[in-house]
Amino acid sequence: MQTTYIATGDSFITRRVPREGYEGFEELKTLIESHDVRFANLEMTFHNEEGFPAAASGGTWAMTDPVMLDDMLRYGFNLFNTANNHSGDFGPLGILATMKHLKERHMPFAGTGASLQEASNACYLETRGERVALIGATSNFDPAAVAGGQGFRMRARPGLNPLRYKTIYHVDRETFEAVNRLAKSLHVNDFMELTIELGYAAALPDNISRFGPYQFVLDTKNYIETVPDPIDEERILGEIREAKRQADVVLFSLHTHEMDGKDFFSIPQFIRTITHKAIDAGANVVIGHGPHMLRGVEVYNGGVIFHSLGNFVFQTETIAAQPYDAFMKMRLSQETRVGEYMDNRSKGGTVGYPAMPDIWQAFAAGWTMQDGKIQDVKLYPLELGMHASRAQRGWPRLSYSTATLEKIRALSAKLNTEVLIEDGIGKVVLA
């Protein structure tokens, strides 16, 4: 029996879907509901201030009324990720409240939990043809949002499932010596050096230098290496292996904002590493989201990696409220209204997300599974109304845009994957 799947990217929803829908809503809803398994990333916390604003946010403190979950269900979604850079915007209580509202609506989700063990666990969706597992993780987060494990003497901390990574700067001798001179002249490493002198830490090897938290390795040329944290990697891969034992199909949802340099469309080395290892461990599909931009599709070892689907619903500017910290950070009066705050942040819509065309182009990915194999991968381009008013911007519609598909094709070609375009829909070549 065939089972059909569709996945979408980031849903930052702050407005109710009109009772009668909106232009393009029914067409999109029909497409989504024509699939058996229907995935969305919930890039919000859903509660009525049951949590407190955290000291740091994912950019905008993301909280919306739990009734917005009913609107996500109106699109037809039935499987959800909750691990992303906004999960901890309202602390552990916000995470628990969001979980409560999801569970009340029988919405299966992965990526957050009352403990690290729970946040790491797969959730399962039963379909007529297959049992589907979903594991959710994020590489972009405030450290305070990470879930804590259940210990023998102390209870766990609610939070998200993290994928940490290490950045290592490989440098030639000239740069290596320049780093050492600068660190010495500015006394950047004094505390670390004192710790070594007192015997509380081992001395660094001759080919390793530090500049505060940054590690430099003497090499023949300058380049940056990023590697997944081995503890997080093994926990995530272990859950994928377990899910493979317990389900017919395994999906791995990965939220990431990292890039190479300032290139939004690039894929860091550690992401390529973990996504390949996820497929090798038994995941059939990796669903990537987070950068709010398109990234390429990659066929690898019998699986498919969607490195970023872009946005689905994107309504950051019409959020209902922001905490004291948001206004203080922007040096604005606490009397400032949210709309004024957004005007200030985007300089009247001339900078940032409102002025970036690529933010408002995305795609939904559909595919079929039969006998454990992926078939018929289709890419449905979306547009989110960049040029609409703030009050209307951010609703998704099918666009059938050849320009969007051409961008996906070019990005995928860099990953040795071919995308064909026909009648406003992309098709991934699997062979």
Side-chain angles (χ1 to χ4, degrees), residues 84 97 381:
N84 52 66

Side-chain angles (χ1 to χ4, degrees), residues 300-320:
Y300 170 77
N301 193 22
V304 176
I305 303 165
F306 303 105
H307 280 286
S308 176
L309 298 167
N311 292 314
F312 184 69
V313 179
F314 197 60
Q315 301 168 344
T316 58
E317 298 169 283
T318 49
I319 199 155

Side-chain angles (χ1 to χ4, degrees), residues 245-256:
R245 300 183 187 103
Q246 301 295 84
D248 300 299
V249 174
V250 179
L251 309 178
F252 175 42
S253 166
L254 181 58
H255 192 83
T256 178

Side-chain angles (χ1 to χ4, degrees), residues 38-212:
R38 309 179 290 271
F39 169 92
N41 169 51
L42 299 176
E43 195 157 9
M44 295 293 294
T45 62
F46 295 83
H47 56 100
N48 294 303
E49 296 194 61
E50 287 119 305
F52 299 96
S57 76
T60 300
W61 276 259
M63 177 183 67
T64 198
D65 193 302
V67 74
M68 305 294 178
L69 290 172
D70 299 324
D71 289 319
M72 294 303 298
L73 290 171
R74 280 188 65 189
Y75 281 104
F77 295 113
N78 60 7
L79 191 61
F80 305 90
N81 171 70
T82 55
N84 52 66
N85 56 301
H86 290 285
S87 303
D89 282 359
F90 288 82
L93 294 179
I95 288 171
L96 291 175
T98 298
M99 292 168 55
K100 175 176 75 74
H101 292 296
L102 285 161
K103 290 176 179 179
E104 286 174 352
R105 291 165 172 80
H106 306 288
M107 297 170 70
F109 66 93
T112 54
S115 66
L116 180 60
Q117 291 88 344
E118 186 174 306
S120 303
N121 284 348
C123 71
Y124 293 88
L125 178 68
E126 311 292 342
T127 75
R128 184 173 58 174
E130 294 174 327
R131 189 182 198 215
V132 181
L134 172 70
I135 294 98
T138 179
S139 63
N140 189 268
F141 50 84
D142 183 79
V146 173
Q150 179 63 50
F152 180 69
R153 293 183 174 83
M154 188 170 289
R155 62 181 179 177
R157 177 181 62 254
L160 57 79
N161 184 23
L163 171 63
R164 287 162 281 219
Y165 64 97
K166 298 178 181 179
T167 302
I168 304 169
Y169 298 88
H170 293 254
V171 295
D172 58 25
R173 182 165 294 281
E174 180 182 358
T175 306
F176 188 79
E177 292 174 352
V179 168
N180 284 334
R181 285 196 303 271
L182 188 59
K184 186 62 94 175
S185 65
L186 296 178
H187 300 277
V188 171
N189 295 331
D190 281 1
F191 183 76
M192 179 193 71
E193 291 172 359
L194 180 61
T195 303
I196 292 171
E197 291 168 9
L198 294 175
Y200 288 97
L204 296 176
D206 291 340
N207 67 327
I208 302 291
S209 181
R210 300 295 294 266
F211 189 89

Side-chain angles (χ1 to χ4, degrees), residues 87 122 196 215 230 246 263 325 374 425:
S87 303
I196 292 171
Q215 178 174 304
Q246 301 295 84
D263 181 3
D325 310 76
I374 302 170
I425 296 173

Side-chain angles (χ1 to χ4, degrees), residues 366-381:
W367 67 94
T368 299
M369 296 290 304
Q370 184 167 17
D371 300 325
K373 297 188 181 302
I374 302 170
Q375 302 175 353
D376 198 25
V377 179
K378 294 180 179 178
L379 312 178
Y380 301 93

Side-chain angles (χ1 to χ4, degrees), residues 231-310:
I231 294 176
D232 290 344
E233 178 185 281
E234 184 49 42
R235 185 185 66 256
I236 290 167
L237 297 180
E239 188 58 41
I240 290 172
R241 295 185 193 101
E242 175 63 11
K244 192 66 175 178
R245 300 183 187 103
Q246 301 295 84
D248 300 299
V249 174
V250 179
L251 309 178
F252 175 42
S253 166
L254 181 58
H255 192 83
T256 178
H257 285 240
E258 291 78 13
M259 64 191 85
D260 287 333
K262 296 181 180 179
D263 181 3
F264 281 108
F265 305 105
S266 62
I267 302 167
Q269 179 186 2
F270 81 96
I271 295 296
R272 295 291 302 278
T273 299
I274 192 67
T275 53
H276 285 192
K277 287 186 176 182
I279 297 292
D280 292 339
N284 299 95
V285 175
V286 177
I287 305 171
H289 37 80
H292 303 304
M293 300 279 192
L294 302 173
R295 287 183 178 172
V297 180
E298 182 178 7
V299 175
Y300 170 77
N301 193 22
V304 176
I305 303 165
F306 303 105
H307 280 286
S308 176
L309 298 167

